[in-house]
Amino acid sequence: MRHLPHNTHTGLSRLGRYTVGRRKRLTGVMLLAAVSAAAPVAGWVIVGDAIDNGIKAENLTRLTADVVLYIAIGATAWIIGTTTWLMLAGIGQQIVLDLRRDLFEHLTSLSLRYFSQQKAGWIIARLTSDVDALSDVLNQGLTTLVVNSMTLVAAIIGLFVLDWRLGVVALIILPPGIVVTRWFQTTSHVAFADVRTRIAAVTAQLAESVSGMAVVQAFSRERAFQSEFAELNEANRVSNVYAQRLSSFFFPAIEFLGAIATVGVIFAGAKMIDSGSLEIGTLIAAMGMLQLIFQPLQELSELYGQVQAASAAMTKISTVLDAEQDITDREGAPEIGRIAGHLKLDNVVFAYGDEPVIHGISIDVPEGGCVALVGESGGGKSTTAKLIARFYDPLEGSVTIDGIDLRDIQLRSLRRQLGVVLQDPFLFSGTIADNIRFGRPEATDEEVAAAAHAIGVDRVTARFEGGLDHVVREGGSGLSAGERQLISIARALLADPRILILDEATSNIDRPSEILIEQAFDTLLRGRTSVIIAHRLATVRRADEILVIEKGYVTQRGNEAALLAEEGPFRRLAETVHGLPARDVA
Amino acid sequence: MQDVDPPDLTLWPTLRYLYPLWREQWRLVTLGLVCALAFTGLSLAIPILIQRTIDDAIDGGDTSLLLPYLGLILVIAALRFAFNFTRRYSTARIGIAVEARLRGMMYDAYLRFPRAFYDRHATGEVISRATNDIYPVRYFIGWGVVQAIQSVMMLVGAAIVLISVDAQLTLIAALAMPPIALLTYVFAHRVHPISRVVQAKKGNLTEATDEAVIGIEMVQAFGREDDVRSRFGDRAEAVRAETMRQAGIEARFLPGLIFLPSLAIAAVLYFGGKDAIAGTLTIGQFTLFITLLLQLVWPLEALGWIINLGQRATAAASRSFAWLGSIKALPEPVEPKHLPEGPLTIRLENVHFSYGVGSEVLSGVDLDLAPGEIVAVCGATGAGKSSLLNLLPRFYDPTHGRVLVGGIDSRDLGLAELRGSVALVTQKPVLFSVLLRDNLLSGRPDADWADVLAACEAAGVAAFVDGLPNGYDTLIGERGVNLSGGQRQRVALARALVARSRVIVLDDPMSAVDTETERHLVETLRPAVAGRTVLISGQRLSTILVADRAVVLKDGRIVENGLPQDLIRLGGAFTDLFGDEALAA
């Protein structure tokens, strides 16, 4: 017992809240299950009656009545069984659906801080494999659990009602039965957990080799990988063999205990028949009921492992559900209304953990103005941009738009007026048009086409048969970085944002594509306030003010000409930007 | 270009592959079958003994027979326990062993498969062929085959026993039994396609999850949380709907499977009861009929399952074996030539290349690299730079023309020797989920640590390694520290330097490195690769400037060739690519 994890209850108890509002249906289905579980028990009672009062009494009418009743009960159990199965599945799947939606909604409302702390793969596993484990239990497991435990209870009650003395005799195998079952639960829980770990390791190694096959083959590391894999594969085999040995022992053992109980019941029954206190039909019915006790016991034991896995899954799911939403709307926060575009950062300090990464940055961009942030990576440029989009709140100081602190307005109303273009633009699966429409789903086809044309996406799509309706998959594979970037810029344009944030939007792109994108910026920036983070001078040049950000401080600010004129970090950066340090090319 | 997507094998070739795997386990198979036979016999003996107990000792009144009969039942039950355990354990081991063998074969094959294979097949598909797809094979070969034989033994045995008791009653009772197997089979047949649909719908849901998690910044930046939620919600609802469709079929079939044996028992109850009243059937025999009929339900159900499982197993195996049988590794020479000592030359002669589908990527490339020379390959996105570079470590063979390394056609060299001499660094390099130290050493595990440190210094790894929690002993990847794109590129660069290959191929190796670091790298890289022949591609002029000479790739051919400085002045393709950048200075 002490090897058993104690979180079974706490893990699954959270599911209890999802039964609220479904309690009536659950109670109803339990009653139905109880009725259908009682059917096979009643069947054996009828067989007993047919023997004693039909055959032994040589009463054909009674026998016929018993047969009709037997079929009627079987048919009723069939219909009720079907209904129970459907209802339970319906309730279970509804719960899974609610849980999935809740989990996803909560997840999408968490701040970037959460996503930067947790690995994407970990989060995705919570929403997929963990919920699936729960779904399995709620789907087949719930039915197995309810029907089998009801059958078990009904058979035990039936046995005692039939003849309590036989019931007591049958109980002799209860103590060893409990011991064996407990032993199996404990050891198999550990064994099957081990199997899961081992197969996960095998799969992980496979996944890594397959995605890194180019490197494995390039370095001729096949043999090392082969032996590493062989080791994991063998460990998985050994672990499986052990787990199978346990269940190979358990189920025959329960069968054996059943045989002992049967022998005990026959022995006691024979004595009672001899003394005239028992009819032979009752004895045969009692033997039948013993079978009804042992079969559910086996199925329930198999279910136990599933429940354990589901409970572990629920515990992990809970860590996501319990993650704190640190960027939320203040109670009754108003919408910001149409943004004019006066952006101001006032002495902003920010830290991801304990150490501040932004040390009192102040920026003032007038309506329609453009500010550029330059500096080495890791200096705090992107963090500053994220503070403007309120992905984080400043530790000290404030970020205001049109004089309103971002913490005082509805987040959604702010973000709907922002346009963000990132270095590695993310495309969702769907058509290119869907991706452009992402920022403003209600846009008409004409508006999408216009935005695509203004940015030059139509030149990209010309090579596809479907044009803008070309379907992109898996994060935009099949499109070059430059092409994806153009689409993400068209997306920002169509959203018609009041404030634009371009975070190294052109760093990853060949020069001809970049020229296209630079031209697209002319269209995009017109009449909007913008914050540009860039490496290239050509991109930075268009800004009204350039800020050099180093190690969380603004170390230099001014327009391009002024900054180039003075000795300082900008000049050094400008040299690197062109990749022409000492050597004079032209 | 060889076929890397062969059609699935048909049934017989599949079985021809599967049979030797099964035969390898012949000891366990024999043991399982012997135990199955013994188990069947003993399982039939117990109800017969109970019948005798009822008829002779209880109903017949000869109580002295009671204890011997019951004692015998206990002994038989104990024996049955032993045989049952051995049968289950041995058959399970057959399946597990076959699973492990097949997976090992798949993995070994994966290591040999050419690049073209991985271009064609999604990672998920390749992985599931060696994991989930094997399970039907495991359960069919392990459990299915022996259980099917045991089921047939049980059916035949029970039929013999019952017919010897009362042939007519057996015939009547048996009427309801074959439909059990049929119903199970039809059920499995109907439910299986739906469960595939459920899996596919779950795949869609996973995709929606992936996108939302990876693209969360976009979602939140545009305030589109409600849209992705409703998209996710719709897909979750689709999963629910399909699962319910599956439950609908289960609900229609499974309770029915309990009802059918009830009909058989009702028949025994009525006709057997009449016989018993007439005195032609004893109470014990009557009970024997009911007990044995119930005992036959599972073997019959099992037959239905196994037939379906067998179909799934052969379907899964037919795909795996098609891969194992038809996809060949790159052909290696029977008598490989060897590379000369010292720095190597590289020569491409009239190289044409296409990926098999679509137009030709390279159409007649001629290129010469002197030993120790650094040459940059430039060109717009999609010009064929990566395709060209991938020919050097022989990830692909040219469709026409030759690639010569050290003056020898790369196809005449042993693959291990060639790849041991050519190191490739890609734009999105793959690092393994092991310690940083082991990643660096993966090209040459016995490298001197001082060499590794020098390589890390030159490749800019040393600059960030102190910031990692455990320095060089930091675990990299999903379970450890996620390095940034630029850091990964630098590790890959160091890894290539450590490998001490005489040819280094760098495919846009600094695209994700920030400019300051890139400048540093450009300075340290040249001395670090001294004496090695280097082919490098890049999008930025700063990367190109590391080279002695640059060539421009356009429309599958080399259109310009010369010093970067000269090419800029030329005002041609090179100037189109980098002109602004240079002029801005």
Side-chain angles (χ1 to χ4, degrees):
Chain A
M1 184 64 209
R2 82 199 144 87
H3 297 292
L4 287 176
H6 296 287
N7 59 5
T8 316
H9 185 65
T10 42
L12 292 179
S13 61
R14 189 169 202 135
L15 278 180
R17 93 163 60 136
Y18 288 95
T19 60
V20 174
R22 305 202 168 95
R23 295 258 159 88
K24 268 191 193 148
R25 273 176 68 201
L26 262 177
T27 318
V29 80
M30 290 292 175
L31 285 175
L32 280 179
V35 172
S36 75
V41 177
W44 277 108
V45 174
I46 292 169
V47 170
D49 183 73
I51 293 172
D52 289 340
N53 300 322
I55 297 170
K56 281 279 175 189
E58 298 188 0
N59 182 347
L60 190 60
T61 325
R62 180 70 173 242
L63 181 69
T64 315
D66 277 336
V67 171
V68 170
L69 193 58
Y70 189 87
I71 295 176
I73 285 179
T76 314
W78 183 12
I79 293 162
I80 292 179
T82 302
T83 319
T84 316
W85 195 290
L86 272 179
M87 281 180 74
L88 277 171
I91 294 171
Q93 283 308 305
Q94 199 64 50
I95 289 176
V96 170
L97 182 63
D98 287 355
L99 179 69
R100 279 208 168 104
R101 283 192 174 136
D102 284 0
L103 196 54
F104 191 80
E105 186 175 331
H106 184 76
L107 187 72
T108 44
S109 66
L110 292 173
S111 78
L112 281 191
R113 188 189 294 267
Y114 182 78
F115 290 91
S116 64
Q117 284 163 352
Q118 288 291 2
K119 306 252 158 58
W122 187 90
I123 300 174
I124 292 165
R126 303 292 77 77
L127 270 100
T128 51
S129 52
D130 280 348
V131 177
D132 285 346
L134 267 179
S135 171
D136 284 348
V137 163
L138 286 175
N139 198 23
Q140 286 128 18
L142 196 61
T143 317
T144 314
L145 180 74
V146 171
V147 171
N148 282 295
S149 38
M150 290 287 184
T151 308
L152 185 67
V153 171
I156 292 175
I157 293 175
L159 187 59
F160 273 89
V161 170
L162 208 58
D163 192 299
W164 66 269
R165 295 167 300 179
L166 292 180
V168 171
V169 173
L171 285 183
I172 53 171
I173 51 96
L174 203 59
I178 289 174
V179 169
V180 171
T181 308
R182 271 284 170 216
W183 165 84
F184 177 69
Q185 283 175 347
T186 320
T187 51
S188 73
H189 169 68
V190 178
F192 282 102
D194 189 55
V195 169
R196 281 196 296 273
T197 318
R198 303 275 175 198
I199 190 65
V202 167
T203 311
Q205 168 85 2
L206 249 169
E208 188 164 294
S209 316
V210 170
S211 54
M213 195 55 79
V215 183
V216 176
Q217 293 182 340
F219 285 114
S220 299
R221 303 292 295 150
E222 289 93 338
R223 205 155 299 160
F225 271 76
Q226 198 172 340
S227 68
E228 229 170 275
F229 184 79
E231 225 169 87
L232 292 173
N233 199 20
E234 174 63 13
N236 176 52
R237 192 190 68 79
V238 170
S239 169
N240 255 306
V241 165
Y242 175 67
Q244 286 304 319
R245 194 165 71 203
L246 295 178
S247 41
S248 297
F249 177 83
F250 176 68
F251 296 105
I254 291 290
E255 195 179 55
F256 180 56
L257 286 176
I260 295 178
T262 307
V263 166
V265 166
I266 293 176
F267 181 75
K271 294 285 173 209
M272 286 184 244
I273 289 171
D274 203 31
S275 66
S277 63
L278 187 75
E279 301 280 341
I280 189 160
T282 315
L283 175 62
I284 290 168
M287 282 158 54
M289 275 179 211
L290 277 180
Q291 294 306 314
L292 292 179
I293 293 177
F294 285 102
Q295 212 171 1
L297 214 56
Q298 296 193 354
E299 298 208 13
L300 286 175
S301 302
E302 279 186 86
L303 188 66
Y304 182 79
Q306 244 187 352
V307 173
Q308 284 288 330
S311 157
M314 192 64 211
T315 310
K316 281 189 266 178
I317 288 172
S318 295
T319 61
V320 175
L321 284 173
D322 293 337
E324 203 184 329
Q325 293 169 295
D326 53 350
I327 304 283
T328 48
D329 285 343
R330 183 167 288 178
E331 190 80 29
E335 293 200 0
I336 191 169
R338 186 172 162 83
I339 291 173
H342 179 209
L343 170 69
K344 199 165 176 222
L345 273 73
D346 187 21
N347 213 12
V348 166
V349 175
F350 176 74
Y352 286 104
D354 298 331
E355 284 293 302
V357 288
I358 303 284
H359 306 268
I361 286 183
S362 297
I363 304 174
D364 197 330
V365 195
E367 289 173 26
C370 175
V371 65
L373 310 179
V374 297
E376 282 179 41
S377 37
K381 304 186 299 281
S382 290
T383 307
T384 308
K386 289 189 167 74
L387 286 163
I388 295 167
R390 206 188 162 211
F391 281 124
Y392 306 114
D393 283 332
L395 207 61
E396 285 171 37
S398 65
V399 182
T400 61
I401 289 175
D402 300 342
I404 310 165
D405 194 303
L406 297 187
R407 286 167 290 201
D408 294 333
I409 44 107
Q410 263 184 31
L411 189 58
R412 193 73 60 87
S413 67
L414 162 71
R415 297 234 178 110
R416 287 264 161 110
Q417 300 185 60
L418 287 182
V420 177
V421 181
L422 300 171
Q423 180 178 2
D424 198 4
F426 188 81
L427 297 192
F428 296 89
S429 62
T431 64
I432 291 176
D434 290 341
N435 268 290
I436 295 175
R437 200 179 262 125
F438 179 77
R440 191 154 63 90
E442 67 278 11
T444 63
D445 290 348
E446 288 72 30
E447 287 173 311
V448 172
H453 180 71
I455 301 300
V457 175
D458 46 1
R459 264 166 291 173
V460 172
T461 56
R463 71 181 165 101
F464 300 121
E465 212 170 289
L468 281 176
D469 291 326
H470 176 74
V471 176
V472 292
R473 297 208 70 86
E474 286 195 36
S477 55
L479 294 168
S480 76
E483 291 167 343
R484 279 185 280 145
Q485 196 57 277
L486 283 175
I487 293 170
S488 86
I489 292 169
R491 174 194 286 168
L493 178 68
L494 183 67
D496 189 21
R498 297 304 306 145
I499 295 179
L500 261 171
I501 299 170
L502 308 177
D503 192 349
E504 310 215 5
T506 58
S507 299
N508 227 342
I509 290 166
D510 62 280
R511 191 59 200 156
S513 304
E514 193 186 4
I515 292 167
L516 283 181
I517 291 172
E518 289 290 340
Q519 289 163 358
F521 281 167
D522 293 338
T523 319
L524 186 60
L525 299 186
R526 205 170 299 137
R528 312 178 207 272
T529 306
S530 53
V531 179
I532 300 177
I533 298 173
H535 281 134
R536 291 207 167 116
L537 205 55
T539 317
V540 170
R541 183 175 292 149
R542 67 177 80 239
D544 306 318
E545 191 186 25
I546 300 171
L547 273 69
V548 181
I549 297 183
E550 290 181 313
K551 298 194 166 76
Y553 294 94
V554 177
T555 52
Q556 215 182 2
R557 63 203 311 164
N559 63 27
E560 187 199 4
L563 291 178
L564 279 176
E566 62 186 64
E567 181 64 42
F570 186 77
R571 209 148 81 181
R572 186 164 44 79
L573 278 166
E575 283 166 355
T576 349
V577 166
H578 304 297
L580 302 172
R583 285 192 271 176
D584 184 6
V585 171
Chain B
M1 201 102 273
Q2 68 153 320
D3 189 14
V4 290
D5 193 13
D8 297 350
L9 294 183
T10 49
L11 184 63
W12 282 113
T14 306
L15 293 179
R16 261 206 301 280
Y17 271 103
L18 217 46
Y19 177 65
L21 285 180
W22 190 65
R23 204 182 44 194
E24 268 177 22
Q25 307 297 325
W26 69 271
R27 285 167 205 275
L28 286 172
V29 171
T30 315
L31 181 65
L33 286 177
V34 168
C35 289
L37 186 64
F39 174 78
T40 308
L42 297 173
S43 289
L44 289 171
I46 291 179
I48 294 173
L49 277 169
I50 291 179
Q51 177 246 318
R52 302 299 283 271
T53 314
I54 293 173
D55 285 346
D56 300 348
I58 301 174
D59 214 24
D62 187 356
T63 43
S64 67
L65 287 171
L66 187 62
L67 278 179
Y69 274 142
L70 291 181
L72 195 56
I73 291 175
L74 275 182
V75 171
I76 289 177
L79 280 175
R80 182 176 67 162
F81 165 65
F83 281 115
N84 198 4
F85 166 74
T86 317
R87 182 197 63 93
R88 277 170 176 265
Y89 187 43
S90 56
T91 51
R93 279 176 61 186
I94 297 169
I96 293 166
V98 168
E99 179 195 355
R101 273 281 279 138
L102 194 51
R103 183 179 294 132
M105 283 162 68
M106 294 301 287
Y107 187 80
D108 293 353
Y110 287 168
L111 291 172
R112 286 187 289 105
F113 283 172
R115 275 291 347 112
F117 170 84
Y118 293 100
D119 294 341
R120 186 63 184 271
H121 299 281
T123 311
E125 185 193 0
V126 177
I127 294 170
S128 83
R129 287 271 168 109
T131 50
N132 296 337
D133 286 4
I134 295 184
Y135 291 131
V137 180
R138 164 180 166 177
Y139 290 115
F140 178 65
I141 286 201
W143 168 79
V145 174
V146 174
Q147 175 67 48
I149 294 171
Q150 181 179 300
S151 285
V152 172
M153 290 195 281
M154 186 68 90
L155 286 171
V156 172
I160 292 170
V161 170
L162 292 181
I163 286 171
S164 70
V165 173
D166 187 336
Q168 204 189 349
L169 189 58
T170 307
L171 203 66
I172 296 169
L175 280 179
M177 300 312 268
I180 295 178
L182 185 69
L183 205 63
T184 315
Y185 172 74
V186 172
F187 166 68
H189 197 70
R190 299 254 314 255
V191 93
H192 184 61
I194 299 184
S195 67
R196 285 193 97 113
V197 176
V198 172
Q199 286 311 317
K201 297 280 177 196
K202 277 187 181 166
N204 289 343
L205 191 65
T206 305
E207 185 185 61
T209 313
D210 279 351
E211 285 185 351
V213 171
I214 296 163
I216 188 73
E217 192 168 351
M218 269 297 138
V219 171
Q220 294 190 343
F222 283 95
R224 307 297 350 161
E225 290 92 336
D226 288 344
D227 297 331
V228 292
R229 278 172 199 161
S230 81
R231 183 179 165 119
F232 177 88
D234 289 347
R235 292 183 179 193
E237 168 56 31
V239 170
R240 193 196 69 88
E242 286 304 320
T243 313
M244 282 310 292
R245 207 154 73 85
Q246 184 177 346
I249 290 187
E250 288 168 349
R252 247 177 296 152
F253 278 87
L254 296 183
L257 281 178
I258 301 170
F259 182 61
L260 274 178
S262 302
L263 280 182
I265 290 170
V268 171
L269 213 52
Y270 183 70
F271 296 103
K274 270 179 32 181
D275 289 349
I277 292 174
T280 54
L281 195 75
T282 65
I283 297 291
Q285 288 169 332
F286 176 81
T287 314
L288 179 66
F289 259 91
I290 295 179
T291 320
L292 277 187
L293 283 178
L294 283 177
Q295 210 164 299
L296 286 184
V297 173
W298 167 239
L300 281 165
E301 279 182 21
L303 276 182
W305 284 116
I306 292 163
I307 293 169
N308 179 266
L309 184 63
Q311 288 177 342
R312 281 192 291 145
T314 44
S318 72
R319 268 176 281 158
S320 302
F321 288 132
W323 279 6
L324 285 176
S326 309
I327 301 172
K328 298 277 174 282
L330 279 182
E332 288 205 61
V334 187
E335 285 174 33
K337 294 179 181 166
H338 293 284
L339 288 170
E341 296 291 311
L344 296 169
T345 58
I346 300 284
R347 187 181 166 85
L348 277 73
E349 281 180 3
N350 190 25
V351 164
H352 290 252
F353 180 72
S354 85
Y355 285 99
V357 286
S359 51
E360 207 169 45
V361 184
L362 303 175
S363 357
V365 171
D366 288 295
L367 181 62
D368 268 299
L369 272 77
E373 193 183 17
I374 305 179
V375 171
V377 181
C378 319
T381 313
K385 300 189 295 290
S386 297
S387 307
L388 176 72
L389 299 187
N390 275 321
L391 294 176
L392 288 181
R394 220 186 142 204
F395 279 144
Y396 305 94
D397 281 332
T399 37
H400 187 75
R402 303 198 292 166
V403 177
L404 301 157
V405 178
I408 300 166
D409 190 321
S410 61
R411 283 167 294 201
D412 293 334
L413 291 161
L415 208 51
E417 182 175 356
L418 172 70
R419 289 186 178 162
S421 309
V422 179
L424 175 77
V425 178
T426 58
Q427 191 181 351
K428 283 191 175 169
V430 177
L431 302 183
F432 296 109
S433 304
V434 293
L435 301 185
L436 175 59
R437 174 190 300 274
D438 297 327
N439 265 300
L440 290 164
L441 287 170
S442 55
R444 192 158 62 92
D446 57 343
D448 209 36
W449 188 242
D451 288 353
V452 177
L453 287 180
C456 287
E457 195 60 49
V461 174
F464 67 83
V465 77
D466 290 337
L468 297 176
N470 296 315
Y472 287 104
D473 291 317
T474 303
L475 184 65
I476 306 299
E478 268 287 317
R479 278 161 291 151
V481 172
N482 270 339
L483 297 181
S484 73
Q487 289 172 329
R488 300 167 75 85
Q489 289 186 336
R490 284 184 265 172
V491 173
L493 204 53
R495 178 169 67 185
L497 294 177
V498 171
R500 224 195 253 157
S501 311
R502 286 180 285 167
V503 178
I504 297 184
V505 182
L506 304 170
D507 188 2
D508 205 358
M510 297 186 253
S511 59
V513 173
D514 66 274
T515 37
E516 183 96 351
T517 312
E518 187 186 13
R519 184 172 67 156
H520 167 75
L521 285 181
V522 168
E523 280 164 13
T524 56
L525 207 54
R526 281 193 65 94
V529 298
R532 312 188 203 193
T533 315
V534 179
L535 204 54
I536 184 170
S537 77
Q539 301 289 7
R540 293 185 226 159
L541 186 57
S542 44
T543 311
I544 302 305
L545 285 176
V546 82
D548 302 318
R549 183 159 61 97
V551 297
V552 179
L553 205 55
K554 196 177 176 187
D555 301 327
R557 286 166 203 278
I558 287 175
V559 293
E560 286 177 25
N561 184 346
L563 298 176
Q565 296 89 316
D566 297 340
L567 292 180
I568 285 278
R569 283 199 210 93
L570 202 63
F574 190 81
T575 320
D576 287 347
L577 288 168
F578 302 108
D580 303 36
E581 230 177 307
L583 292 174

